[in-house]
């Protein structure tokens, strides 16, 4: 798996390169600015980009904007964005084109190597990996939304894991539920939110995230 990495802090960038390589991933470029990132993504066309949101020269959202620009030139380019803080706007912009292969993690998750590498691989495979704190904030902002308010506590648990990008099997393992029970909960969630059901895990995740982001 070929990775392009963008991180302006030298020590963190080198640490991420080491971590990715230790898990068998090939880092084909490791850059520190937005313009360098866009050039590397277009040139290398990696299997996945791992990108800090804030990069030189202005340290606002160069990483995100370079990634979005690259996705316009390379449709479906998988991008995993790292951020110091939860910003709903970043999640909204990532979801704007409605395609998979996206992720948004807080930088703290990098220190859990298994969780981080799992997210990288999931995004590279065209899936979705959203930080639990991002999902929690989206749900909190929707607390007064009548459809979300109709969800049972168990359905909210399933929704949170679904929005993170977990499959039915993974949700069942986490919550100790059978496949049929998870299927029943997801069907109820989609019915209460007024969303069309789908057997495609990634389309399902994107639909839920888009719903939460739009409220």
């Amino acid at each position: 798996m070929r990775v392009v990495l963008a991180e302006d802090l030298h020590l963190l960038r080198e640490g991420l390169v080491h971590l990715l390589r230790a898990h068998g991933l090939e880092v084909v470029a490791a850059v520190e600015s937005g313009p360098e990132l866009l050039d590397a993504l277009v040139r290398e066309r990696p299997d996945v980009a791992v990108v800090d949101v804030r990069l030189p020269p202005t340290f606002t959202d160069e990483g995100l904007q370079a990634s979005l620009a690259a996705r316009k030139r390379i449709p479906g380019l998988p991008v995993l964005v790292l951020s110091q803080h939860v910003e709903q706007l970043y999640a909204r912009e990532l979801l704007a084109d409605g395609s998979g292969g996206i992720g948004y993690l807080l930088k703290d998750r990098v220190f859990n190597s298994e969780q981080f590498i799992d997210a990288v691989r999931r995004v590279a495979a065209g899936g979705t990996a959203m930080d639990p704190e991002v999902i929690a904030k989206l749900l909190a902002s929707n607390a007064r939304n009548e459809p979300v308010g109709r969800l049972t506590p168990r359905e909210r648990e399933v929704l949170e894991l679904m929005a993170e990008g977990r499959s039915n099997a993974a949700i069942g393992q986490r919550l100790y539920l059978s496949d049929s029970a998870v299927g029943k909960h997801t069907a109820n969630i989609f019915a209460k939110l007024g969303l069309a059901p789908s057997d495609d895990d990634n389309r399902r995740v994107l639909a839920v995230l888009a719903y939460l982001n739009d409220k």
Side-chain angles (χ1 to χ4, degrees):
M1 186 185 298
R2 302 171 68 253
V3 182
V4 165
L5 171 68
E7 166 60 53
D8 66 293
L9 296 177
H10 176 74
L11 290 179
L12 181 54
R13 185 170 66 251
E14 291 303 307
L16 288 172
V17 168
H18 177 77
L19 177 60
L20 291 164
R21 287 176 175 166
H23 284 81
L25 284 68
E26 179 186 2
V27 180
V28 295
V31 302
E32 61 180 333
S33 72
E36 289 177 311
L37 172 59
L38 181 56
D39 287 345
L41 292 176
V42 173
R43 180 181 69 250
E44 299 291 347
R45 294 179 176 252
D47 297 306
V48 61
V50 178
V51 178
D52 184 4
V53 167
R54 301 188 178 197
L55 294 174
T58 66
F59 294 97
T60 53
D61 62 351
E62 283 89 349
L64 176 63
Q65 294 306 322
S67 299
L68 294 174
R71 278 173 70 94
K72 289 181 180 178
R73 296 164 71 171
I74 310 171
L77 173 69
V79 175
L80 173 60
V81 167
L82 304 177
S83 177
Q84 196 71 41
H85 307 287
V86 176
E87 292 287 351
Q88 287 181 241
L89 177 62
Y90 297 156
R92 184 173 292 116
E93 291 202 50
L94 277 171
L95 293 163
D97 65 4
S99 62
I102 57 171
Y104 178 7
L105 293 183
L106 293 181
K107 279 191 172 181
D108 288 349
R109 308 298 174 193
V110 170
F111 299 106
N112 183 329
S113 60
E114 289 187 6
Q115 186 178 41
F116 173 61
I117 296 299
D118 173 67
V120 173
R121 294 187 184 280
R122 204 184 324 154
V123 171
T128 307
M130 301 299 284
D131 194 283
E133 288 193 33
V134 176
I135 303 307
K137 188 166 185 177
L138 289 173
L139 285 172
S141 67
N142 279 271
R144 297 181 181 179
N145 180 340
E146 183 181 353
V148 173
R150 290 204 302 265
L151 300 179
T152 67
R154 177 61 88 184
E155 288 167 353
R156 285 180 66 90
E157 289 180 321
V158 172
L159 176 63
E160 289 177 19
L161 293 172
M162 189 193 311
E164 288 176 27
R166 306 293 176 182
S167 65
N168 275 8
I171 293 172
Q173 289 177 351
R174 179 74 66 88
L175 300 179
Y176 303 101
L177 296 172
S178 67
D179 287 347
S180 60
V182 175
K184 181 178 179 180
H185 285 308
T186 56
N188 288 340
I189 290 167
F190 270 67
K192 290 179 180 180
L193 298 185
L195 297 172
S198 173
D199 293 328
D200 184 298
D201 286 335
N202 201 48
R203 288 183 183 278
R204 180 181 69 178
V205 172
L206 291 171
V208 170
L209 288 172
Y211 175 87
L212 293 175
N213 262 294
D214 192 45
K215 299 302 175 182

